[in-house]
Amino acid sequence: MESSAINIAIVVVYLLAMLAFGWWGKSRTKNNSDFLVAGRRLGPFLYTGTMAAVVLGGASTVGGVGLGYKFGISGMWLVVAIGSGVLLLSLLFAGTIQKLKIYTVSQMLTLRYGSTATQTSGIVMLAYTLMLCATSTGAYATIFVVLFGWERWLAIAIGGAIVLVYSTIGGMWSITLADQVQFVIKTVGIFFLMLPFALNAAGGLDGIRARVDESFFDIGGIGLQTIITYFVVYTLGLLIGQDIWQRVFTAKTPTVARWGGATAGVYCILYGFAGALIGMAASVALSGVEIAAKDDVYAEVATRLLPIGIGGLVLAAAVAAMMSTASGALIAAATVARADVMPFVASWFGKKVDTSDSDNPEHDVKANRYWVLGLGIVAIIIAISTKDVVAALTIAYDILVGGLLVAIIGGLVWKRGTGIAAAWSMAAGSVVTLGTMIILEINAEVPLDGIYANEPIYFGLIASALVYLVVSLASKPTDPAVMKAWTDRVAGTRVAEEELTTPASQSGTKN
């Protein structure tokens, strides 16, 4: 009872601190740039911490330990795939992305291709970020259910409200400070508390090896197909996700974006290795404990193997991991909804929406707060009312990779790629991805097998790449004026911040 009370007290203090960060962030938020991308002023330390925090959520922390418990050292591959995605994005593209001085992925497509047809990407990105926020919200509520004994809906509502408050009040500045504290808590909790205590309880690596099957030390024990799936879904998804790009936009310089992100990627890989080792140690140290699901291993280690009080810090680390992902996805969803989706939908009715208010920065920040608040409430409702949010996230993730990856990466690396090719490749990739998923689901013996299959992404990517290549070569090259605007931006030519609020304010040349 004493141990439980101390653990609860530590988590409560952490949650109250999250609310305090919201008020701190408010004092630094004066305009649109401050609210959405922290004024593009993050240095190496803050940037590395916030990038690592946003990608290492519940799946990486709680899930990574669970995979180590079930599969041994090969359980690290999920987080290694995530770290690899951060590394690739940082070393190959982050410097260019930072120079663009934009707010969304869709704005990059409009700037690069000069085609408003690419704005449809905003709808897919909104679905992805909203579902990611909902799944993270439901995930950290599971900790609250165990810790406080609340009903699931109440745990989601209270936890979601805390994230909603600090994200709405201070925007990216509040989220950045919260992420930094969450990064420190996760580092201490995983590397300096759980790992040494769990290994000690299991008798070290020699003790583990003596009591488990040799396959636990097989680097590929989880299965080649599973490893490939992790890299296809998570590595490729991280290259183009709005939640990740929005963190790149916060970097002070291209160098910070490149090397700060690369440092975060290496950290993620080490984090995955540590999580797998903790899970392996738990399989020995908790061999007499009945554990219903592998995701319960993290909490069992925290409460059974760690001293009083230390377990509370470790549980707070799990909550921190999930909250950082939820808040990052929430502000990304709000940014996309206001900057991309609202103007695009308005254009269907022949109306033009200017989402900027450069003459009144405070009013602009207020409008962004409303979007964060509204979509945060939607995410909480989805998390409470839907049991298959993961299935919805999987569909959005598949379309994100299968439909949008080629057009986005193609625009960054191939000058001959055209706007019409990008639009058709996104359409072809999305249709083939969804179509394959539907066919597999209809013929699946087990519900959702078709949705969770890998084939939809593979076929979508192939279709998208073929269409992009063929149509680009068959169509006229991108308008020279559009390409000049693009190359100027990539070269780091200074652009007024107010010009970047919406895609409509960029080059409107049709292609």
Side-chain angles (χ1 to χ4, degrees):
M1 291 296 293
E2 180 184 0
S3 174
S4 178
I6 293 175
N7 289 342
I8 289 174
I10 291 173
V11 174
V12 169
V13 170
Y14 164 76
L15 295 176
L16 291 174
M18 292 298 105
L19 295 176
F21 298 150
W23 293 105
W24 176 88
K26 183 180 181 181
S27 66
R28 304 200 64 168
T29 302
K30 307 299 182 184
N31 54 43
N32 206 47
S33 177
D34 288 335
F35 189 88
L36 298 178
V37 290
R40 309 186 194 275
R41 298 199 298 271
L42 298 192
F45 181 71
L46 285 177
Y47 180 79
T48 299
T50 194
M51 179 61 81
V54 74
V55 298
L56 293 174
S60 304
T61 305
V62 176
V65 171
L67 288 172
Y69 177 85
K70 185 175 181 179
F71 298 103
I73 194 63
S74 66
M76 71 178 186
W77 284 112
L78 168 65
V79 189
V80 169
I82 291 172
S84 298
V86 176
L87 267 175
L88 287 175
L89 174 67
S90 300
L91 295 177
L92 299 180
F93 306 117
T96 298
I97 294 170
Q98 192 277 341
K99 291 178 184 178
L100 296 177
K101 305 299 182 187
I102 54 177
Y103 290 112
T104 71
V105 176
S106 183
Q107 288 178 347
M108 169 261 158
L109 290 169
T110 302
L111 177 65
R112 165 61 181 82
Y113 295 114
S115 173
T116 56
T118 57
Q119 290 178 22
T120 55
S121 62
I123 297 174
V124 176
M125 203 65 73
L126 176 59
Y128 157 71
T129 51
L130 193 57
M131 289 303 107
L132 181 60
C133 182
T135 53
S136 299
T137 300
Y140 58 70
T142 60
I143 300 292
F144 296 160
V145 169
V146 174
L147 199 60
F148 300 111
W150 293 339
E151 294 290 330
R152 180 178 177 273
W153 71 268
L154 182 61
I156 291 174
I158 293 178
I162 292 171
V163 171
L164 192 55
V165 167
Y166 78 73
S167 299
T168 300
I169 293 175
M172 187 60 84
W173 271 118
S174 296
I175 292 171
T176 296
L177 179 58
D179 280 352
Q180 202 62 34
V181 174
Q182 289 160 352
F183 171 71
V184 172
I185 291 175
K186 285 190 288 191
T187 301
V188 172
I190 293 293
F191 290 101
F192 299 106
L193 296 177
M194 285 191 82
L195 183 58
F197 276 107
L199 284 176
N200 181 66
L205 290 177
D206 290 336
I208 296 173
R209 189 179 295 275
R211 297 177 60 184
V212 300
D213 189 85
E214 189 62 31
S215 63
F216 249 49
F217 287 87
D218 180 2
I219 199 74
I222 199 170
L224 179 60
Q225 183 60 42
T226 299
I227 294 172
I228 292 174
T229 298
Y230 289 154
F231 278 91
V232 170
V233 174
Y234 294 105
T235 304
L236 297 183
L238 280 166
L239 291 179
I240 58 174
Q242 171 68 26
D243 52 325
I244 311 303
W245 276 44
Q246 198 152 343
R247 286 314 203 286
V248 177
F249 300 151
T250 67
K252 188 174 183 179
T253 65
T255 301
V256 170
R258 185 177 299 111
W259 296 111
T263 302
V266 172
Y267 173 89
C268 291
I269 293 173
L270 295 175
Y271 193 90
F273 184 69
L277 282 177
I278 292 168
M280 292 173 67
S283 69
V284 172
L286 300 177
S287 58
V289 178
E290 183 178 348
I291 298 178
K294 60 180 175 56
D295 286 346
D296 296 336
V297 175
Y298 185 97
E300 293 291 347
V301 171
T303 55
R304 293 178 182 271
L305 300 184
L306 274 61
I308 295 176
I310 300 298
L313 288 173
V314 169
L315 289 173
V319 176
M322 299 167 192
M323 281 191 166
S324 58
T325 300
S327 60
L330 176 56
I331 196 168
T335 305
V336 170
R338 186 176 185 228
D340 298 331
V341 176
M342 187 173 69
F344 179 68
V345 172
S347 68
W348 295 349
F349 302 97
K351 297 181 179 181
K352 183 177 179 180
V353 177
D354 183 4
T355 60
S356 67
D357 194 356
S358 56
D359 295 331
N360 190 347
E362 290 185 2
H363 184 273
D364 204 26
V365 171
K366 185 177 181 180
N368 281 315
R369 287 194 176 111
Y370 284 140
W371 278 100
V372 173
L373 178 64
L375 288 174
I377 293 173
V378 171
I380 291 172
I381 293 173
I382 292 174
I384 291 174
S385 60
T386 308
K387 293 184 178 180
D388 287 330
V389 175
V390 175
L393 176 62
T394 301
I395 294 172
Y397 229 126
D398 283 5
I399 297 175
L400 179 72
V401 176
L404 305 188
L405 179 74
V406 171
I408 295 170
I409 301 302
L412 290 171
V413 302
W414 193 35
K415 293 182 179 181
R416 186 61 179 84
T418 64
I420 190 172
W424 278 105
S425 75
M426 289 193 296
S430 299
V431 169
V432 171
T433 298
L434 273 177
T436 305
M437 191 180 295
I438 292 171
I439 292 172
L440 291 175
E441 183 62 24
I442 291 174
N443 296 305
E445 295 181 359
V446 179
L448 301 182
D449 269 7
I451 291 178
Y452 294 131
N454 299 325
E455 288 82 0
I457 292 182
Y458 299 153
F459 292 147
L461 280 172
I462 292 172
S464 182
L466 287 175
V467 170
Y468 184 76
L469 178 63
V470 171
V471 177
S472 288
L473 294 176
S475 58
K476 294 181 179 180
T478 303
D479 189 318
V482 173
M483 287 304 299
K484 184 179 186 305
W486 168 260
T487 54
D488 285 347
R489 199 74 69 90
V490 170
T493 302
R494 192 172 184 82
V495 181
E497 192 73 36
E498 61 269 17
E499 295 178 7
L500 304 171
T501 306
T502 68
S505 63
Q506 297 171 14
S507 174
T509 306
K510 300 284 184 181
N511 192 332

